[in-house]
Amino acid sequence: MNSITEILKQAETQEHAPGAMSVAFEVSDLIYYYGTGNTPTGIQRVQQELALEYLRRSGDQAVEFVIYDVGVQKWRAVDRDWLSSLISAARTFRERSANWRDLYNKFAEKLPSFRFRQFERGDWLINVGASWSLSSYFVQVRHLQRRGVRCGFFLHDCIPVRHPAYFEYSHTVDYTYWLFQIRDTADLVICNSESTRSDYLELVNPKKIENVVVCRLNASWMDEELSPEAEVAALELLADLQLFDEDFVLSVGTIEPRKNHITLVHVWDKLRNTYPAKCPKLLCVGRIGWKSEAVISQAKALGLYDNNVIFVGAVSDDVLAYLYKKCLFTIYLSYYEGWGLPVTESLHAGKICVVGSSAALQEAGAGCAIHVDERSETSVYDIVEKLIDDTGLQSAATQKIRDGYTPRSWSEVANDLYGIVATATATTKAIAAPLPILETNVLYQFGRVNPVTDFNNPCAAEVFCLGDAWHQPEGWGNWTGKEVAEIGFRIERAASEATVFLGCISPPGGAKLTISLDGKQVRAFSMVSGRKIVRLTLREFKDENGAGMYFPVRIRTSVNRVQDMREVEGTRDARHLGLGFLFLVVFDKGAVIERLEFLEKIVTGEISSS
């Protein structure tokens, strides 16, 4: 087999030839994230830097940028100049001179004018961001795959599965379903580290481990030279905070429990008391995140807040680069990471980094960081004390970085990613994916009640959803937003005279309901109000042209009205609601025990309608 480098060169020289690789690089998460602010966190940072690298290759028409339009549930081709200007505006934005939201809105108003991306068989959709909150996203991914489009996903971590306590319960539910659907749909899974790949293989148990590869993120976005404007902005910030060169230790990361700022607060409390004259200040840069109140409260209670420990929030890239270069050293005590970009950024700036010891952080440290037991305040205190008190140790640690750390550019990471996709293109065929298989006598629920724990068999009915009528699944089930909705699956031909039970809820206010099976209307209800369980019978297919073990089934539901929830007093829901879907189960003729168990769940309310 040719090396990745050789395949990459071949792909570049053949980009305009018939059948050449075509990549739609998705920036949905980055664009929507900019709506909340201009300073990226880890996942958005990766998208931003990769997008910039592909944008700089103006002659490379093999890479196109797309965004998933949640309103119409289709991908739009994003104008390169528009995207380049938006990223540039985000990186250089100054809060004192303008309002970011106003600036972002000027960019966002152009999105609906971008054309829809027409995917062809063999094309690639590469998602490097977070798509778990995008309505009906994987419904449309499966639609693309039925047309022979290949999909690759960049996996940043499996932490909500490994350590769910670090996240809100609802996020853990959504994230585990996201991982399940990646497992179900991905033609290619690109992990950011060997640690993440190991977690994915262990916890998610994918069908094809050969499609799970690693693209390491050991690169930094920082330039060697800062612009005069950036230096002025950074100096103004430091002056406001009464900080001076090498008078502070820098910690970069969202303020949340997983990042372990509470240990930093306790360590700095002890340092302040031990070294009152020369204890450096701790500058914490990052957004205020989930459950950050305990850290802030503790810092205030100890008298550290805005004195010895300063929480400055998020800052622009160029200001952050200046802080990296002027700090005494950096510290990053996260309990668990998929990679750890602040470690890479610190080493790239030539700064000592005190970091935790989890597997991914060991990779990011590249043998040049100082690793500690992040769960031991004593371990952290001891090394920080030595770095403050021993200039010889500082010099030795800095020299180790100069001698042993080889920084990479994001251009190299972009080449790696492109080469991975090129390799997959050269070694695999684009095959149109069939409808998913439905197992008889298994209850599939449309709702997301609990996190996925069995990725081999999550019993998720959302894999059968077709079309663009679907809202995001909720705990109880899944609303549709249009009059007509469709589900489809394949079932064994041997399932003779199987019976389908479909649980649904009418739109608020009720509606007429008709149901078609494989294009033929089979049930009609003059009015449905509230929950309805519909029973359908499948006849064994006797068509002479039928072949194979499975045959396709499509069930279409139609209601005569949808409810505009903006017209309903007392609700903040602004959606249009059609039929709601609860569950789907198909029993074969002899499944007596399974039918009784299903009936018990209905009677006892275990299968709920809300």
Side-chain angles (χ1 to χ4, degrees):
M1 182 186 297
N2 293 337
S3 68
I4 286 180
T5 302
E6 291 171 339
I7 293 174
L8 175 58
K9 290 179 178 178
Q10 293 172 10
E12 289 176 340
T13 57
Q14 298 175 0
E15 63 185 21
H16 297 295
M21 185 173 74
S22 176
V23 178
F25 185 88
E26 185 164 342
V27 292
S28 306
D29 179 44
L30 179 63
I31 302 304
Y32 291 131
Y33 181 87
Y34 279 153
T36 68
N38 68 300
T39 52
T41 57
I43 294 178
Q44 290 76 35
R45 167 70 66 191
V46 175
Q47 296 169 82
Q48 176 177 285
E49 301 310 316
L50 287 172
L52 275 174
E53 291 303 325
Y54 293 131
L55 282 168
R56 287 166 181 157
R57 304 171 188 188
S58 58
D60 184 4
Q61 299 304 314
V63 175
E64 188 174 11
F65 300 92
V66 296
I67 180 173
Y68 181 74
D69 188 328
V70 294
V72 295
Q73 298 184 5
K74 294 181 181 179
W75 285 267
R76 294 186 184 274
V78 176
D79 180 79
R80 298 175 76 97
D81 291 337
W82 177 91
L83 179 59
S84 180
S85 297
L86 175 58
I87 295 176
S88 177
R91 299 189 79 179
T92 59
F93 179 75
R94 299 277 181 265
E95 288 188 359
R96 297 185 180 186
S97 61
N99 181 282
W100 169 252
R101 186 69 191 183
D102 292 340
L103 181 58
Y104 172 80
N105 287 339
K106 290 180 180 179
F107 281 95
E109 66 186 14
K110 296 182 180 179
L111 279 171
S113 66
F114 295 148
R115 65 177 175 84
F116 292 120
R117 173 61 153 83
Q118 301 301 318
F119 288 90
E120 303 293 338
R121 184 187 183 94
D123 287 355
W124 279 96
L125 174 67
I126 301 296
N127 188 320
V128 184
S131 52
W132 48 81
S133 62
L134 299 179
S135 180
S136 198
Y137 183 83
F138 280 97
V139 176
Q140 304 313 320
V141 166
R142 293 185 181 92
H143 174 67
L144 292 182
Q145 290 189 313
R146 287 193 290 274
R147 296 165 52 191
V149 176
R150 292 179 281 198
C151 300
F153 296 88
F154 200 102
L155 183 59
H156 297 268
D157 62 68
C158 296
I159 305 175
V161 185
R162 176 72 73 188
H163 297 291
Y166 293 143
F167 303 91
E168 288 184 282
Y169 187 80
S170 60
H171 176 76
T172 302
V173 172
D174 287 342
Y175 197 92
T176 55
Y177 269 89
W178 181 71
L179 280 176
F180 148 66
Q181 299 203 81
I182 286 178
R183 180 188 188 274
D184 182 65
T185 62
D187 297 286
L188 183 63
V189 177
I190 308 120
C191 302
N192 61 349
S193 66
E194 292 293 344
S195 175
T196 296
R197 183 178 187 271
S198 177
D199 281 351
Y200 182 70
L201 295 180
E202 175 193 345
L203 300 172
V204 182
N205 188 25
K207 303 171 186 176
K208 297 181 179 179
I209 62 174
E210 64 271 17
N211 293 346
V212 185
V213 298
V214 173
C215 180
R216 293 165 63 85
L217 297 181
N218 51 337
S220 175
W221 45 268
M222 284 182 283
D223 298 325
E224 293 299 324
E225 298 295 331
L226 291 175
S227 69
E229 295 82 2
E231 189 166 353
V232 169
L235 288 171
E236 288 179 348
L237 174 65
L238 291 178
D240 289 344
L241 300 175
Q242 298 182 7
L243 296 177
F244 306 95
D245 290 0
E246 298 191 347
D247 184 40
F248 65 95
V249 174
L250 179 65
S251 179
V252 178
T254 302
I255 314 301
E256 60 183 2
R258 179 168 58 91
K259 302 298 185 180
N260 196 18
H261 289 85
I262 197 71
T263 293
L264 287 175
V265 169
H266 292 162
V267 167
W268 249 256
D269 181 44
K270 186 175 180 180
L271 284 170
R272 173 194 57 177
N273 294 323
T274 307
Y275 297 94
K278 62 177 183 178
C279 176
K281 293 184 178 181
L282 175 66
L283 181 60
C284 299
V285 174
R287 289 188 172 198
I288 300 298
W290 177 67
K291 285 194 174 181
S292 58
E293 299 84 0
V295 173
I296 305 298
S297 297
Q298 184 81 157
K300 288 180 177 179
L302 294 171
L304 297 168
Y305 188 80
D306 278 349
N307 294 311
N308 300 87
V309 179
I310 301 171
F311 297 91
V312 74
V315 299
S316 63
D317 285 357
D318 45 15
V319 170
L320 181 57
Y322 188 92
L323 297 179
Y324 270 119
K325 293 179 180 181
K326 296 300 180 181
C327 67
L328 179 61
F329 60 87
T330 72
I331 188 164
Y332 191 67
L333 298 182
S334 176
Y335 289 121
Y336 206 85
E337 290 293 329
W339 176 260
L341 287 177
V343 181
T344 298
E345 292 163 2
S346 178
L347 296 175
H348 184 93
K351 289 296 180 176
I352 303 165
C353 185
V354 178
V355 63
S357 298
S358 67
L361 292 175
Q362 294 277 359
E363 288 184 62
C368 296
I370 298 176
H371 294 279
V372 296
D373 180 358
E374 68 279 358
R375 297 180 182 276
S376 168
E377 291 181 6
T378 300
S379 172
V380 177
Y381 175 84
D382 287 347
I383 192 61
V384 172
E385 180 189 35
K386 290 177 182 178
L387 285 172
I388 292 172
D389 195 46
D390 187 347
T391 56
L393 178 59
Q394 293 178 27
S395 299
T398 301
Q399 191 62 46
K400 184 177 182 180
I401 297 171
R402 291 171 181 167
D403 295 340
Y405 186 74
T406 303
R408 287 214 309 165
S409 67
W410 276 101
S411 177
E412 293 173 277
V413 178
N415 282 342
D416 284 355
L417 178 58
Y418 193 91
I420 287 169
V421 179
T423 300
T425 303
T427 57
T428 60
K429 293 183 178 180
I431 301 174
L435 291 171
I437 294 173
L438 182 146
E439 300 289 343
T440 57
N441 310 321
V442 173
L443 177 65
Y444 293 87
Q445 300 200 56
F446 287 89
R448 297 178 177 180
V449 182
N450 299 308
V452 176
T453 55
D454 182 1
F455 288 91
N456 292 306
N457 187 29
C459 300
E462 60 191 84
V463 301
F464 307 125
C465 297
L466 305 176
D468 59 359
W470 301 88
H471 288 301
Q472 189 75 343
E474 301 175 40
W476 61 269
N478 199 344
W479 284 115
T480 61
K482 296 184 177 181
E483 287 86 353
V484 177
E486 189 174 25
I487 58 177
F489 51 86
R490 289 180 297 149
I491 193 169
E492 289 186 359
R493 289 183 178 275
S496 177
E497 300 181 13
T499 303
V500 178
F501 290 92
L502 177 64
C504 52
I505 302 178
S506 70
K512 296 180 181 179
L513 171 64
T514 60
I515 298 179
S516 299
L517 180 62
D518 296 315
K520 180 181 179 181
Q521 181 176 315
V522 292
R523 300 295 300 272
F525 304 91
S526 59
M527 177 57 67
V528 174
S529 181
R531 186 172 72 167
K532 181 70 177 180
I533 300 177
V534 179
R535 182 178 183 273
L536 307 171
T537 300
L538 299 178
R539 300 293 182 184
E540 182 182 12
F541 275 35
K542 300 292 187 179
D543 56 303
E544 297 179 357
N545 296 325
M549 184 181 298
Y550 300 93
F551 66 86
V553 176
R554 290 177 180 262
I555 300 174
R556 174 172 292 188
T557 63
S558 301
V559 290
N560 68 324
R561 61 178 294 273
V562 297
Q563 177 64 56
D564 184 349
M565 296 303 290
R566 293 172 296 182
E567 299 175 353
V568 178
E569 186 176 351
T571 180
R572 296 182 179 180
D573 194 339
R575 295 175 297 176
H576 288 76
L577 300 185
L579 192 67
F581 284 71
L582 294 167
F583 60 82
L584 173 68
V585 60
V586 179
F587 292 115
D588 59 38
K589 190 174 182 179
V592 177
I593 295 177
E594 290 86 351
R595 290 175 186 243
L596 287 174
E597 290 178 345
F598 171 68
L599 180 60
E600 288 178 353
K601 290 180 179 180
I602 295 293
V603 172
T604 60
E606 187 174 340
I607 301 176
S608 177
S609 63
S610 60

